[in-house]
Amino acid sequence: MIPTPQTDLSVDQIKLADVEFWTRPDRDACFAKLRTERPVSFHEEFEYPGLPKGPGFWAVTRWEDVWTVSRNPDLFISGKGSNLSDMPLELLEFFGSMINMDAPRHTKLRLLVNKGFTPRMVARVEEMVRERARAIVDAVAPRGECDFVTDIAAALPLQIICEMMGIPSSDHRRIFELTNIILGVGDPEYASTIEELMAAGLELFQFAQDLGQGRLERATDDITSALMHAEVDGERLSAQEFGSFFILLVAAGNETTRNAISHGMKALTDWPEARRSWQADFERYKATAVEEIVRWATPVIHFRRTVTRDTELSGQPLKAGDKVVMWYTAANRDPEKFADPYRFDITREPNEHVGYGAGGPHFCLGANLARREIAVMFEELFRRLPDIAISGPPDMLLSAFIHGIKRMPCTFTPRAA
Ligand code: HEM
């Protein structure tokens, strides 16, 4: 059994809203301490330049409590924001679309959007995932080394989400840069001010408006066309709704799966036994390995809710209006739920991780697509570059929200293209 990691910090010294905390190497240990000693703990708020400092939040770290919050959407709502900071309502909707909404609006929007994810559309995308993954691996094969994140892990989700939406390939690079800014806020390499974030959001929004308008006039065979023409109760997506959903979809589609693939490759390098088993019998472990990669990576570190009436969680009283943050990263290492949680175990079953959320109305819309992308990418890597391995330390994104790797070198025996 891998021992629970330890920290020198006392529970009072763990300050989740300090930027410095997110540079610490003992994060898992700090979350383990919170989970055992104070499973629902109060924290001061982050200070974001340009936004007022909020009232603080409750950090929920046990799997069971995260499950409870996620599955009680009347008591724990999303409409006041699903990220830590308090943004004006217009901004919430602008950036977050349905992730920052509650029923009945959320339900209506999700029904509309589901029409873009019909079995026919998903089947088409599945074929595309295979083609694209092959092309990505083939392109690096003769080189013998590359940046795993940019050249391999990030390339696949970017191309797929852009293709699904019907975005011309000449624009893929710009979409990648803009989503990096939106979800990289806080890391000085991407964006440090609210103005930079807004500018990136507006550019994506404008892009979506033009794309959507074009497909409204002349439908093609992509999700944008399906979404622009879909109706629920005689209503269609407004231009504003489509623009915001587009921002959510390209950001969510780009910035999560790539980190799962990157952390997955790192874990497979660090756990050679697991890797050997998977490579020896890919199909046998495919489903469980992909779930374990997402538990291990936990690409989305947290989401927030707001309490609607006084209640309690693990004995901690909560008041209406309090902010509650579900730390998926802590829940996914909870020993009450996962045996030997610090072991990367591709045979883990059951594996009720909360990497895609802990259930309830907002459960990840792209979970099946992400599973497919991760599985196909590793299948192609093992087939074409069977000795690929991470060869240097990962350069981590500074973020309390996205468990991101910005760059990470890898090597392999070169192959002819
Ligand atoms: C490994 C990859 C991914 C991870 C870890 C992930 C994680 C998450 C999480 C934690 C949530 C919030 C769930 C909740 O609050 O209950 C979420 C929601 C969402 N995800 Fe993903 N996601 C991934 C891939 C994707 C992809 C590829 C897409 C797009 C095609 C996508 C689209 C969305 C959307 C639209 C929502 C909002 C759903 C709603 O509010 O109803 N995700 N995802």
Side-chain angles (χ1 to χ4, degrees):
M1 165 119 177
I2 309 285
T4 305
Q6 303 293 319
T7 175
D8 295 338
L9 295 184
S10 72
V11 72
D12 287 318
Q13 287 172 324
I14 301 174
K15 311 248 185 248
L16 296 182
D18 272 2
V19 174
E20 189 267 333
F21 176 83
W22 296 96
T23 62
R24 292 185 69 94
D26 61 350
R27 250 152 64 174
D28 270 358
C30 293
F31 276 114
K33 181 156 254 179
L34 287 177
R35 209 171 39 228
T36 349
E37 294 182 22
R38 203 176 291 163
V40 181
S41 57
F42 192 76
H43 295 261
E44 295 230 341
E45 200 99 13
F46 277 89
E47 293 206 47
Y48 290 103
L51 288 177
K53 191 175 176 195
F57 60 86
W58 294 102
V60 179
T61 49
R62 278 189 183 154
W63 184 93
E64 191 75 44
D65 290 335
V66 166
W67 192 254
T68 303
V69 171
S70 197
R71 286 172 181 245
N72 283 287
D74 295 335
L75 185 53
F76 300 100
I77 58 170
S78 300
K80 292 195 185 301
S82 56
N83 288 113
L84 284 175
S85 61
D86 293 303
M87 287 203 199
L89 278 182
E90 315 81 74
L91 270 193
L92 281 182
E93 194 163 324
F94 178 70
F95 275 117
S97 174
M98 63 182 179
I99 210 155
N100 290 331
M101 288 178 193
D102 299 302
R105 272 196 82 206
H106 173 264
T107 324
K108 191 193 115 191
L109 212 57
R110 186 131 178 169
L111 280 172
L112 259 172
V113 159
N114 280 344
K115 301 209 166 188
F117 290 79
T118 55
R120 195 177 67 92
M121 199 59 90
V122 173
R124 254 195 58 199
V125 173
E126 284 189 353
E127 259 172 61
M128 202 195 312
V129 172
R130 173 77 58 193
E131 263 167 46
R132 292 303 166 124
R134 278 200 179 145
I136 289 165
V137 177
D138 280 350
V140 296
R143 290 167 51 190
E145 59 177 10
C146 67
D147 175 43
F148 189 83
V149 178
T150 329
D151 296 329
I152 297 178
L156 183 64
L158 171 72
Q159 291 182 15
I160 297 300
I161 197 74
C162 288
E163 286 281 333
M164 277 167 72
M165 301 303 283
I167 299 169
S169 47
S170 53
D171 290 318
H172 290 189
R173 182 79 216 164
R174 186 66 190 142
I175 299 284
F176 181 62
E177 289 163 1
L178 292 170
T179 59
N180 273 346
I181 293 176
I182 290 179
L183 290 187
V185 153
D187 185 317
E189 185 174 334
Y190 296 116
S192 26
T193 65
I194 197 84
E195 285 78 22
E196 286 170 284
L197 175 72
M198 283 306 298
L202 279 172
E203 193 177 329
L204 270 180
F205 192 79
Q206 190 54 51
F207 190 92
Q209 301 266 305
D210 296 345
L211 189 72
Q213 191 55 41
R215 296 300 194 275
L216 200 56
E217 286 158 17
R218 206 173 57 85
T220 54
D221 201 10
D222 55 34
I223 288 188
T224 302
S225 303
L227 290 176
M228 293 307 294
H229 292 270
E231 285 187 14
V232 165
D233 297 338
E235 282 185 61
R236 283 190 178 173
L237 277 181
S238 68
Q240 152 82 42
E241 285 169 332
F242 176 69
S244 293
F245 179 64
F246 179 88
I247 298 179
L248 170 66
L249 206 59
V250 292
N254 259 325
E255 303 289 321
T256 49
T257 318
R258 74 149 121 150
N259 289 312
I261 296 173
S262 299
H263 284 288
M265 191 66 241
K266 171 94 176 67
L268 289 163
T269 305
D270 294 344
W271 299 80
E273 280 289 299
R275 178 197 182 127
R276 255 192 301 278
S277 309
W278 197 14
Q279 252 171 312
D281 196 342
F282 188 84
E283 279 306 311
R284 177 168 175 204
Y285 298 114
K286 181 167 83 175
T288 49
V290 167
E291 290 313 304
E292 181 67 349
I293 285 174
V294 174
R295 181 189 79 91
W296 192 254
T298 314
V300 178
I301 298 175
H302 71 260
F303 263 121
R304 166 203 151 190
R305 302 289 189 260
T306 306
V307 181
T308 53
R309 51 180 191 277
D310 295 0
T311 183
E312 59 97 19
L313 204 55
S314 268
Q316 174 61 54
L318 305 174
K319 287 211 159 349
D322 283 357
K323 295 195 212 181
V324 167
V325 178
M326 298 174 282
W327 293 95
Y328 302 129
T329 192
N332 275 344
R333 298 283 186 277
D334 188 342
E336 298 282 321
K337 187 67 192 174
F338 304 99
D340 208 356
Y342 298 95
R343 174 179 301 282
F344 177 69
D345 176 4
I346 62 158
T347 67
R348 192 179 290 281
E349 205 172 11
N351 187 350
E352 276 188 285
H353 68 77
V354 293
Y356 297 113
H362 292 276
F363 187 79
C364 178
L365 183 73
N368 280 333
L369 174 60
R371 287 181 180 115
R372 169 88 185 167
E373 289 179 3
I374 299 166
V376 170
M377 185 45 103
F378 282 105
E379 192 175 354
E380 292 303 319
L381 283 172
F382 290 164
R383 197 174 58 80
R384 293 278 288 136
L385 311 174
D387 62 352
I388 184 168
I390 299 304
S391 54
D395 180 6
M396 301 297 295
L397 179 73
L398 176 59
S399 171
F401 179 46
I402 296 293
H403 190 205
I405 302 180
K406 296 192 284 190
R407 288 168 281 271
M408 186 167 60
C410 69
T411 51
F412 44 85
T413 305
R415 302 270 155 151

